[in-house]
C-alpha cells in the first residue's frame, strides 16, 4: 500500500494527517518565539529537551503543575475566537507553581479536536505562546490529537503542563505566618478560567448566545469580550516582589473561590479574615450575581470576585507590594484559630 493510499484510508475515517502537518508548520514561528536559553530541542521530536541552569539554583526543587481551560472553551466556540484561550491554559498552570515561589521553565500543551483545522490550531497555539512569553517559560512540546467521533467537529479541549524551579532556600514558607500578617490582593482581569458552567447557566448561553454580542454599559464592552478576557499571569510581578521581600505564602484564586483556595496557603491553626467592604469587586461579578440571583456565599465560593491572587505578607513587606504591584491592596488579615475564611 502506498503512502498516499494510507493517508487516504485514514482520511476516510475522519483523520487528516496532511492537516496535522500543516498545523505544525503554521505554529512553528509562534513556538520559536518562546524559546529561552535552556531549550535544547526543536518541535517535532519525541520529547522536549531543556537544560536547567543550576548556577542560579544550586539546590533546585522542581514544581510541576497541570490544568485546563474548562468550559470557558464553550464561549470560544460560540464566538469563534480561539487566540486567547491558550493564554488561559498557560496562566492556570504557571499561576499555581508560582504559589510555591517557583519560576516556570517549560510548558507543554495538549489539544484534542473533533476535526483538525490548521488555522484554528495555529490560533490556539499562538495564544499558548503569548502566555509562555509573558510567564518567561519555553513551549518545548505538545500534542495535537484529531479524534473524530469523540469530540464534535467544531469543538476541542485544551490542557497544559508546566515545570518550574525554585532553590530550596527560596520556597515560600507558610510556617513563618503569624497572627496579624496581611492578606494582599492582586487584581484579576475577570472570571479567569473557573465558574463558567454557572456563567453559562446564568446567561442561558446553551440556548441563546446573542447576549454575548450585546454591549454592556457597566463593562464598557460586550459581555462576550469581558467573559473571554484572558486570565492574568502573575509570574513576573510575584518573582520581582520575592527578590525584595519575604513572601510567606500565596494563593491562586481558582475554582472554589475564596473559601477553598485561601486556606490552602495557611497553617492549619490559622484563618483568614476578609473585609467585604474592602474587596474591589469587578462589575462583571455584580452583573452575574444580579442576573442569576446568586447568594453572596456562593459567589465567593465559586468566583475570584476580582482577586486573582492573595499574598500573605508582614506589614513592611505589604507596603513594598502595594507600591510595586499595580492595583494591589490589603484584603484582610490572618488570625489565630481554625476557621478557613471568615467574611466580615
Amino acid at each position: 500500500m502506498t503512502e498516499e493510499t494510507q493517508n487516504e484510508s485514514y482520511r476516510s475515517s475522519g483523520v487528516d494527517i496532511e492537516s496535522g502537518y500543516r498545523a505544525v508548520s503554521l505554529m512553528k514561528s509562534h513556538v520559536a518565539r518562546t524559546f529561552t536559553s535552556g531549550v535544547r530541542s526543536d518541535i517535532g521530536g519525541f520529547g522536549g529537551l531543556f537544560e536547567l541552569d543550576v548556577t542560579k539554583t544550586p539546590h533546585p526543587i522542581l514544581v510541576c503543575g497541570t490544568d485546563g481551560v474548562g468550559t470557558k472553551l464553550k464561549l470560544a466556540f460560540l464566538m469563534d475566537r480561539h487566540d486567547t484561550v491558550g493564554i488561559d491554559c498557560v496562566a492556570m498552570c504557571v499561576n499555581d507553581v508560582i504559589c510555591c515561589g517557583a519560576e516556570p521553565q517549560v510548558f507543554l500543551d495538549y489539544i484534542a479536536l473533533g476535526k483538525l483545522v490548521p488555522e484554528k490550531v495555529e490560533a490556539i497555539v499562538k495564544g499558548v505562546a503569548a502566555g509562555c512569553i509573558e510567564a518567561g517559560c519555553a513551549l518545548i512540546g505538545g500534542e495535537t490529537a484529531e479524534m473524530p467521533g469523540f469530540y464534535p467537529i467544531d469543538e476541542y479541549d485544551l490542557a497544559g503542563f508546566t515545570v518550574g524551579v525554585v532553590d530550596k532556600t527560596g520556597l515560600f514558607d507558610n510556617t513563618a505566618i503569624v497572627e496579624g500578617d496581611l492578606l494582599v490582593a492582586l487584581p484579576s482581569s475577570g472570571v479567569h478560567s473557573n465558574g463558567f458552567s454557572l456563567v453559562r447557566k446564568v446567561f442561558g448561553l446553551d440556548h441563546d448566545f446573542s447576549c454575548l454580542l450585546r454591549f454592556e454599559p457597566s463593562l464598557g464592552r460586550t459581555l462576550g469580550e469581558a467573559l473571554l478576557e484572558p486570565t492574568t499571569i502573575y509570574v513576573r510581578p510575584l518573582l520581582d516582589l520575592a527578590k525584595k521581600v519575604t513572601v510567606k505564602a500565596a494563593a491562586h484564586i481558582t475554582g472554589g473561590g475564596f473559601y477553598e483556595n485561601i486556606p490552602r496557603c495557611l497553617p492549619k491553626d490559622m484563618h483568614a479574615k476578609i473585609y467585604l467592604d474592602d474587596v474591589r469587586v469587578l462589575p462583571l461579578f455584580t452583573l452575574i450575581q444580579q442576573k442569576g440571583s446568586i447568594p453572596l456565599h456562593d459567589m465567593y465560593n465559586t468566583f475570584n470576585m476580582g482577586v486573582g491572587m492573595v499574598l500573605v505578607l508582614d506589614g513592611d513587606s505589604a507596603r513594598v507590594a502595594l507600591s510595586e504591584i499595580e492595583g494591589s491592596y490589603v484584603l484582610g488579615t490572618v488570625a489565630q484559630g481554625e476557621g478557613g475564611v471568615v467574611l466580615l
Side-chain angles (χ1 to χ4, degrees):
M1 183 180 291
T2 66
E3 181 178 348
E4 182 179 351
T5 305
Q6 290 174 333
N7 287 347
E8 185 57 43
S9 298
Y10 210 0
R11 189 181 295 112
S12 69
S13 72
V15 178
D16 189 343
I17 295 176
E18 296 300 326
S19 290
Y21 296 156
R22 175 164 166 71
V24 172
S25 177
L26 290 173
M27 71 176 71
K28 274 190 172 182
S29 63
H30 302 300
V31 174
R33 292 175 56 232
T34 73
F35 283 1
T36 58
S37 59
V39 177
R40 295 292 178 266
S41 61
D42 201 352
I43 62 171
F46 289 101
L49 306 181
F50 188 87
E51 182 177 1
L52 186 64
D53 182 2
V54 293
T55 61
K56 296 193 299 183
T57 50
H59 304 288
I61 294 177
L62 299 181
V63 182
C64 305
T66 187
D67 209 337
V69 182
T71 62
K72 185 175 186 176
L73 292 175
K74 287 281 191 181
L75 274 73
F77 305 155
L78 292 173
M79 299 182 67
D80 194 24
R81 183 176 178 185
H82 311 282
D83 60 346
T84 61
V85 290
I87 301 174
D88 290 299
C89 188
V90 175
M92 296 304 292
C93 297
V94 300
N95 285 346
D96 278 354
V97 302
I98 193 61
C99 287
C100 299
E103 181 177 1
Q105 302 293 307
V106 298
F107 190 84
L108 295 93
D109 60 8
Y110 175 77
I111 308 169
L113 317 94
K115 180 176 177 58
L116 198 159
V117 179
E119 292 75 15
K120 182 181 290 187
V121 172
E122 180 193 13
I124 298 168
V125 175
K126 180 181 179 181
V128 174
C132 286
I133 291 169
E134 188 174 347
C137 60
L139 178 57
I140 63 169
E143 174 69 10
T144 303
E146 190 172 20
M147 301 169 65
F150 194 87
Y151 291 97
I153 62 171
D154 293 327
E155 296 190 3
Y156 56 85
D157 198 7
L158 175 62
F161 175 81
T162 192
V163 179
V165 64
V166 58
D167 193 87
K168 68 178 182 181
T169 60
L171 276 169
F172 295 167
D173 180 14
N174 73 350
T175 63
I177 295 175
V178 297
E179 185 170 33
D181 279 342
L182 300 178
L183 302 172
V184 173
L186 306 189
S188 73
S189 58
V191 182
H192 283 182
S193 297
N194 297 102
F196 275 89
S197 294
L198 180 54
V199 167
R200 285 166 39 233
K201 178 183 178 182
V202 166
F203 293 104
L205 298 181
D206 293 340
H207 308 289
D208 178 9
F209 64 91
S210 61
C211 64
L212 295 176
L213 308 178
R214 287 200 293 268
F215 182 83
E216 284 288 342
S218 66
L219 306 179
R221 51 183 167 170
T222 67
L223 176 62
E225 288 170 335
L227 290 173
L228 267 189
E229 182 69 31
T231 304
T232 301
I233 293 175
Y234 298 99
V235 172
R236 293 185 190 275
L238 194 41
L239 285 177
D240 288 345
L241 180 67
K243 294 174 183 176
K244 301 172 183 176
V245 304
T246 298
V247 178
K248 296 185 179 183
H252 182 199
I253 311 303
T254 57
F258 283 38
Y259 285 104
E260 289 190 23
N261 290 291
I262 295 176
R264 294 168 65 183
C265 77
L266 298 177
K268 299 295 184 183
D269 60 346
M270 292 191 175
H271 67 275
K273 295 167 64 176
I274 305 293
Y275 304 101
L276 285 174
D277 288 344
D278 291 335
V279 180
R280 299 175 187 175
V281 178
L282 292 177
L284 179 55
F285 295 106
T286 302
L287 180 65
I288 292 170
Q289 183 178 15
Q290 293 174 347
K291 177 70 174 177
S293 300
I294 303 172
L296 190 65
H297 177 276
D298 291 0
M299 290 295 295
Y300 279 86
N301 200 35
T302 305
F303 300 110
N304 66 62
M305 302 302 288
V307 180
M309 184 79 71
V310 173
L311 310 182
V312 183
L313 305 165
D314 63 30
D316 291 337
S317 297
R319 281 187 283 276
V320 174
L322 297 180
S323 66
E324 296 280 336
I325 303 178
E326 184 178 358
S328 61
Y329 62 95
V330 175
L331 183 73
T333 60
V334 177
Q336 195 70 40
E338 297 181 5
V341 172
V342 178
L343 299 182
L344 301 172

